[in-house]
Amino acid sequence: MLRIVLGGVVLIALLIFSLGTALVVGLHGRGLAALNGADWSAVKFTLWQASLSAFLSIAMAIPVARALARQVFPGRQALITLLGAPFILPVIVGVLGLLAVFGRAGWISAALQWAGFAKLSIYGAPGVILAHVFFNLPLVTRLLLQAWAAIPAERFRVAESLGAAPWAYFRLIEWPMLRATVPGAFLLVFLLCLTSFVVALAVGGGPRGTTIELAIYQAFRLDFDLGKAASLALVQFTICGVVSLLAFLVPLPQTDGLGLDRVVQRLDGPQHRFADGLWISAAGAFLVLPLGAVLMRGLRHMLELPPQILAASVTSLTIAFASTALCLAMALSLSLAFARRGSLARSLAEASGILGLASSPLVVGTGLFVLIFPYAQPMTFALPITASVNAMMALPFALRVLMPAVQEAYGDYLHLRLSLGMGRWIWMIRILGPRLRRPIGFSAGLAAALSMGDLGVIALFADPDLQTLPLMLYRLMGAYRMDQAAATAVVLVVQSLLLFWMFDRGGRGHAAFG
Amino acid sequence: MKLTSLFAGLFLASAAVAETPVLTVYTYDSFISDWGPGPMVETAFEATCGCDLQMIGAGDGAALLSRLRLEGTRTEADIVLGLDTNLTAAAAETGLFSPMSLSANYAVPGGWSDRYFAPFDWGYFAFVHNTQLTAPTNFRSLAASDLKIVIQDPRSSTPGLGLLLWIKAAYGDEAGDIWADLSDNIVTVTAGWSEAYGMFLEGEADLVLSYTTSPAYHLIAEEDSSKTFALFDEGHYMQIEVAGKLATTDQNALADQFLQFMLSDEFQSIIPTTNWMFPAVTPKMGLPDGFPQALSAEQSLILSPQEAAAQRSAALEEWQNALAR
């Protein structure tokens, strides 16, 4: 009963933060406003770029995750941890890193010119997609890797002892897992790309790269048309809703046979060594080179870091810990409340959880501002608001990881609990706890890293004495101090990765792989 | 006993705080950042006012105005500092501002008179480039060259809007053609100034839309003389940044004192090397070494606030059509 109440409370809070803030903004203006032709073409462009980016990220992540899942090599764990980095980079830093490699003055252009060819130009559609794949491929790879590691070792053992061919491995073991994981992963990347506008614009090459989020920006800044901003936000939610339904309606395969929680040992690794090696090196280079450019650029200027870096780090860490705790509490409440309900209830719960990702930070921030302002100075709530909004943005990831884990734990072991008459606490500590430890660690790592890297709504509620690392980075850039900003980016990346590693490691316990 | 005195101390301390009047100034974020004028301005004003100056940042000028419109007459702000003349028509229309009579020996080309706002600094938009480049001398020669530029989106960036109005002010009805000719020179359009400037510094473009004072930052703060700006013979569009007093202020005298202070030598001499703009009133010490010259009044283009407000939508549509290709 308590579970349902908690789950319900979380759902209501989520709806207030997402749809609620959009409606508040609309009502504060002159009601919802109709969209014009330019807005609809922004909708079209947004749908196109988000679908394509999500599709390509997934298509490339599958072979990369599979390669990482079945190969063991020195530095594997470091590479996997590093894979988390592009995802948490402030977009402006990531874009500059990408351009250092793929830009007109980048390494590839330099090599092409040296060899007598024309410079590489990625601006336009290729740039948008390249950048979105750069930011999202690592995330999808991590999500898929997580799912690969969750396949019980026994299945691979059985397959191995039956002498299964590679195709049979895929069809019988990996395909059901992919069918269960890919739609959700697609949805997440799609939504991440849906609300991005700095990237789409910076490498999109011009006003053709207008996304819905940019149209919202325009409605706010230039026209102060709150109704229009709210309408656009609702269009974003509608798209999110439709795509979520499509993703969640894909029937999940039944789990067949439980494992004994052994470490997965893939014996089929060696035969795929060459192809896997290619995928890992290609993806590794694609992700690590721009990251290396960012780090190299910053490391040279570490000594010029302003003293404010300490306070900013502490603020960022505080927000990250608070939002991680909040995100986990929400994800667990929802998972425990809805994982065992019918698939419709579960889908609805997860769809509400995912709304956060389809919210425009500008609309959420303004909505909260309008709600709080009559009663208090919103600036005094800068920290809790930023932590809550960050938690909400990370929730879909945590749900994606936790919901199936809870569902599987109940599916596999509930009959055991019933037949043994196991008490609530024993069940929680002995069965559920250990099974959720890894997904909890992973989602906590994601939530913390996401919160570290996100500029978020703090910019809207900024208190002069309170700055996070991303805010400090933007302020340094705005004051021409690009070198110090680059050094700040290094601090940000290192701290976020450490945080991610700490949580994820804690979740993995003593497991050797994952 | 100790606890009692602790509480007594706390009470006295809060009573002392309560007696200090608070002046609330809304401004754009980069003004209050540790690298902007904010911290020095605060120290200097608080040394004489016997008050607590609270500066609250909100994005950029346009975000500032949106914030004010959201808060309406319930705003706590006494002063708003950091709108530019592209926004003042809309700002005055809100009816939130109180008329003021402030006079000074303004260094703003073309002079200044406005019922509601007083300028605190100003600058010119310009294309910044490396000194070894043979720079274009106007938009037509830029468009005819194969030089690459990075600009900002007028919908999300103040300089971006400045460029839109610059071309409109210089070319009027021909602005659309200029944009069409420029389109193959534009590498990309960024959301904000920082992205564009960062991309330029990384070598992605030959020129970037910024200010005539940008090279002065590199020269003065980094002793790097490799940057300069392209002088265009159409003239350069100006950005004049202003402050206004809210009609709803409960600190009328203090607000007036702050506006006076804003035009004083002390405030004005902080501006050049923190905000990297021309001070509205030239300080006694003059401009710092390495700062560019102001252009003549003929070379200084600007649309009046009313014209800027009236032309913006059409100019924006023209821009979108020309660049959508």
Side-chain angles (χ1 to χ4, degrees):
Chain A
M1 191 57 214
L2 180 68
R3 277 206 306 259
I4 301 296
V5 173
L6 275 179
V9 169
V10 170
L11 272 191
I12 291 170
L14 284 172
L15 289 175
I16 291 177
F17 263 64
S18 50
L19 289 174
T21 49
L23 289 175
V24 165
V25 168
L27 291 175
H28 197 80
R30 270 163 291 172
L32 298 181
L35 305 187
N36 59 29
D39 298 325
W40 286 115
S41 62
V43 171
K44 255 192 275 174
F45 175 78
T46 308
L47 281 175
W48 174 82
Q49 62 93 2
S51 322
L52 199 59
S53 303
F55 176 77
L56 287 176
S57 301
I58 304 265
M60 286 173 64
I62 291 175
V64 176
R66 180 161 63 169
L68 283 169
R70 65 188 173 196
Q71 300 298 340
V72 184
F73 53 94
R76 176 176 175 276
Q77 200 49 55
L79 182 66
I80 292 175
T81 304
L82 216 54
L83 276 183
F87 184 55
I88 50 101
L89 279 181
V91 283
I92 187 169
V93 177
V95 167
L96 287 180
L98 263 182
L99 290 177
V101 178
F102 299 98
R104 294 182 65 249
W107 299 342
I108 296 183
S109 284
L112 284 174
Q113 268 197 316
W114 178 81
F117 295 101
K119 283 182 186 175
L120 182 69
S121 179
I122 56 161
Y123 293 96
V128 176
I129 288 158
L130 188 80
H132 278 155
V133 172
F134 172 74
F135 283 109
N136 298 310
L137 171 69
L139 174 74
V140 186
T141 307
R142 291 292 318 232
L143 282 174
L144 291 182
L145 201 54
Q146 186 79 8
W148 239 293
I151 299 179
E154 285 70 14
R155 292 188 203 162
F156 291 106
R157 291 184 160 206
V158 170
E160 188 60 35
S161 64
L162 293 176
W167 171 243
Y169 258 96
F170 179 75
R171 194 169 54 88
L172 296 172
I173 304 179
E174 293 172 330
W175 171 241
M177 180 280 289
L178 286 176
R179 223 180 67 187
T181 324
V182 161
F186 179 90
L187 178 64
L188 289 182
V189 180
F190 178 86
L191 293 179
L192 278 173
C193 299
L194 187 67
T195 53
S196 113
F197 90 94
V198 173
V199 176
L201 198 59
V203 286
R208 279 161 304 154
T210 300
T211 60
I212 303 178
E213 189 69 18
L214 180 60
I216 293 181
Y217 229 76
Q218 178 182 1
F220 256 108
R221 290 172 49 95
L222 286 186
D223 311 325
F224 197 67
D225 187 345
L226 296 179
K228 169 72 85 58
S231 304
L232 287 164
L234 291 177
V235 169
Q236 244 169 16
F237 284 126
T238 312
I239 294 174
C240 165
V242 172
V243 178
S244 310
L245 274 183
L246 289 178
F248 293 140
L249 282 180
V250 175
L252 294 187
Q254 293 298 309
T255 53
D256 40 0
L258 37 167
L260 294 172
D261 299 342
R262 287 198 186 89
V263 168
V264 179
Q265 263 180 313
R266 298 283 301 252
L267 299 171
D268 60 335
Q271 52 176 310
H272 300 291
R273 219 171 167 84
F274 181 70
D276 285 354
L278 272 184
W279 277 109
I280 293 173
S281 341
F286 176 54
L287 298 170
V288 171
L289 286 180
L291 200 63
V294 169
L295 294 179
M296 264 165 47
R297 174 109 169 64
L299 283 172
R300 275 183 281 148
H301 302 285
M302 291 307 279
L303 292 176
E304 298 155 38
L305 272 175
Q308 290 88 340
I309 190 87
L310 278 179
S313 292
V314 172
T315 307
S316 277
L317 285 172
T318 311
I319 294 178
F321 279 114
S323 76
T324 305
L326 194 60
C327 173
L328 279 186
M330 292 197 292
L332 279 171
S333 308
L334 283 181
S335 302
L336 290 173
F338 293 100
R340 282 182 305 145
R341 306 275 135 193
S343 63
L344 183 66
R346 199 178 55 238
S347 305
L348 282 179
E350 207 168 338
S352 333
I354 238 159
L355 280 180
L357 214 51
S359 329
S360 149
L362 196 58
V363 173
V364 173
T366 308
L368 290 176
F369 188 91
V370 171
L371 283 176
I372 296 173
F373 181 71
Y375 310 103
Q377 176 58 255
M379 206 175 76
T380 36
F381 297 101
L383 273 185
I385 287 178
T386 308
S388 321
V389 172
N390 285 354
M392 200 178 81
M393 302 281 174
L395 181 63
F397 302 96
L399 272 184
R400 228 27 283 187
V401 178
L402 277 172
M403 192 74 102
V406 169
Q407 204 186 339
E408 206 169 283
Y410 273 97
D412 290 349
Y413 295 97
L414 191 63
H415 57 92
L416 194 70
R417 175 185 180 184
L418 295 177
S419 66
L420 293 178
M422 211 181 274
R424 173 187 295 245
W425 290 110
I426 305 235
W427 163 253
M428 290 269 190
I429 294 167
R430 287 288 169 82
I431 309 288
L432 210 51
R435 247 151 216 90
L436 294 187
R437 185 174 164 169
R438 183 194 284 259
I440 286 180
F442 178 61
S443 20
L446 271 185
L450 250 181
S451 169
M452 286 293 290
D454 194 32
L455 178 62
V457 289
I458 196 147
L460 287 173
F461 293 87
D463 178 327
D465 305 320
L466 198 69
Q467 63 184 348
T468 56
L469 286 174
L471 183 58
M472 180 175 154
L473 189 148
Y474 278 90
R475 282 178 173 170
L476 282 167
M477 286 192 89
Y480 289 99
R481 288 160 174 77
M482 306 286 170
D483 293 343
Q484 292 179 331
T488 306
V490 174
V491 175
L492 178 60
V493 168
V494 171
Q495 269 183 27
S496 314
L497 281 183
L498 270 179
L499 214 53
F500 180 84
W501 178 81
M502 204 179 77
F503 279 117
D504 192 36
R505 174 83 213 146
R508 275 186 284 121
H510 304 292
F513 298 96
Chain B
M1 182 58 214
K2 270 185 182 161
L3 209 60
T4 333
S5 51
L6 179 72
F7 278 118
L10 278 177
F11 177 74
L12 285 177
S14 59
V17 168
E19 275 167 26
T20 313
V22 175
L23 184 73
T24 308
V25 175
Y26 281 10
T27 182
Y28 48 79
D29 192 67
S30 66
F31 195 90
I32 57 157
S33 99
D34 290 309
W35 304 277
M40 277 194 255
V41 165
E42 186 173 349
T43 315
F45 188 61
E46 285 181 349
T48 58
C49 73
C51 70
D52 177 13
L53 176 63
Q54 288 197 354
M55 287 195 279
I56 294 176
D60 63 357
L64 192 59
L65 181 59
S66 301
R67 166 85 173 259
L68 208 62
R69 282 165 139 170
L70 281 178
E71 297 189 353
T73 51
R74 300 169 70 170
T75 182
E76 280 177 27
D78 302 302
I79 300 266
V80 169
L81 179 143
L83 304 174
D84 65 22
T85 51
N86 297 330
L87 298 166
T88 48
E93 223 171 78
T94 61
L96 293 170
F97 287 90
S98 151
M100 62 161 88
S101 53
L102 209 57
S103 61
N105 184 19
Y106 292 122
V108 184
W112 180 262
S113 71
D114 191 281
R115 213 164 115 75
Y116 296 101
F117 301 100
F120 65 95
D121 69 12
W122 56 281
Y124 300 102
F125 294 111
F127 284 94
V128 171
H129 61 88
N130 285 318
T131 39
Q132 73 262 27
L133 186 91
T134 315
T137 52
N138 53 43
F139 282 107
R140 290 196 196 278
S141 68
L142 173 59
S145 73
D146 48 12
L147 293 170
K148 295 291 179 191
I149 59 174
V150 194
I151 60 169
Q152 298 86 353
D153 196 304
R155 292 167 293 178
S156 57
S157 147
T158 313
L161 184 60
L163 177 62
L164 191 75
L165 297 175
W166 182 1
I167 294 187
K168 196 75 204 167
Y171 287 97
D173 292 340
E174 288 177 78
D177 300 334
I178 296 287
W179 278 113
D181 291 345
L182 278 175
S183 67
D184 60 345
N185 300 89
I186 300 171
V187 172
T188 194
V189 182
T190 65
W193 175 89
S194 301
E195 290 97 318
Y197 208 78
M199 284 166 83
F200 161 70
L201 290 182
E202 298 294 329
E204 282 300 297
D206 304 306
L207 304 108
V208 61
L209 177 68
S210 189
Y211 295 89
T212 62
T213 40
S214 301
Y217 169 80
H218 299 284
L219 193 63
I220 296 172
E222 299 177 337
E223 293 174 1
D224 167 10
S225 57
S226 67
K227 310 275 183 296
T228 184
F229 71 90
L231 186 65
F232 275 17
D233 52 27
E234 300 95 332
H236 287 252
Y237 197 77
M238 291 169 66
Q239 182 180 29
I240 306 175
E241 299 195 295
V242 304
K245 183 173 73 172
L246 276 301
T248 47
T249 176
D250 54 356
Q251 296 289 349
N252 205 13
L254 201 53
D256 286 338
Q257 193 187 337
F258 180 82
L259 290 171
Q260 285 292 346
F261 168 75
M262 182 181 86
L263 297 174
S264 72
D265 215 53
E266 205 171 3
F267 182 108
Q268 290 292 315
S269 55
I270 294 173
I271 291 295
T273 54
T274 52
N275 225 24
W276 301 98
M277 295 283 271
F278 289 98
V281 180
T282 310
K284 285 192 205 80
M285 304 256 298
L287 294 171
D289 285 340
F291 226 70
Q293 295 287 314
L295 306 176
S296 67
E298 297 79 64
Q299 286 173 299
S300 308
L301 301 178
I302 193 160
L303 296 175
S304 74
Q306 291 70 28
E307 279 176 304
Q311 303 223 16
R312 199 192 61 211
S313 300
L316 189 62
E317 206 167 308
E318 219 167 50
W319 175 82
Q320 272 174 295
N321 290 336
L323 296 196
R325 275 176 288 197

